[in-house]
Amino acid sequence: MSECYEYVPHRLLRKRVRDIASGVEGELMAVINENVSDGGIERWVEIAYVRGACGREFTTAVGNVEPA
């Protein structure tokens, strides 16, 4: 198996964003292409890491991120 993750550039990095799935706003800290497979076949997904107002980061699908 290759690396488990890689950082992906995104136009909204370090900007205020909203997670449309939860409605929570925060700063987009990173977008990572992550291998989420649990078997022999690799499955890669892009995950957004957002830091909310409380300082805690949460993850969401990168497709759920929009400018706030």
Side-chain angles (χ1 to χ4, degrees), residues 2-46:
S2 61
E3 291 293 319
C4 294
Y5 66 91
E6 63 184 4
Y7 287 92
V8 177
H10 194 279
R11 66 183 179 85
L12 295 174
L13 278 175
R14 299 303 216 176
K15 303 230 176 16
R16 189 124 182 104
V17 297
R18 177 181 304 107
D19 171 24
I20 60 173
S22 67
V24 176
E25 294 186 8
E27 182 179 348
L28 182 61
M29 302 306 292
V31 174
I32 296 179
N33 192 22
E34 189 169 340
N35 183 356
V36 296
S37 64
D38 59 356
I41 300 173
E42 291 186 358
R43 184 170 155 240
W44 292 82
V45 295
E46 287 189 352

